[in-house]
Amino acid sequence: MKLVHLCYAALGIAVARWIFKRQPVQLADPVARFRSSGLL
């Protein structure tokens, strides 16, 4: 099961990096996004 979770984590990181490359402007300042979302 741990190997499966590791694969899911690697896939999630790959998707996150792909999204980061596609939308650099929206993810440039994550702190501001979290504050606007009310998480901080």
Side-chain angles (χ1 to χ4, degrees), residues 20-38:
F20 184 77
K21 289 181 181 179
R22 293 250 346 232
Q23 304 175 348
V25 177
Q26 293 184 5
L27 297 178
D29 195 356
V31 175
R33 273 187 39 191
F34 287 145
R35 284 179 180 170
S36 65
S37 298

Side-chain angles (χ1 to χ4, degrees), residues 3-19:
L3 183 60
V4 174
H5 291 166
L6 188 63
C7 290
Y8 275 122
L11 185 62
I13 291 172
V15 172
R17 288 179 65 184
W18 178 71
I19 292 174

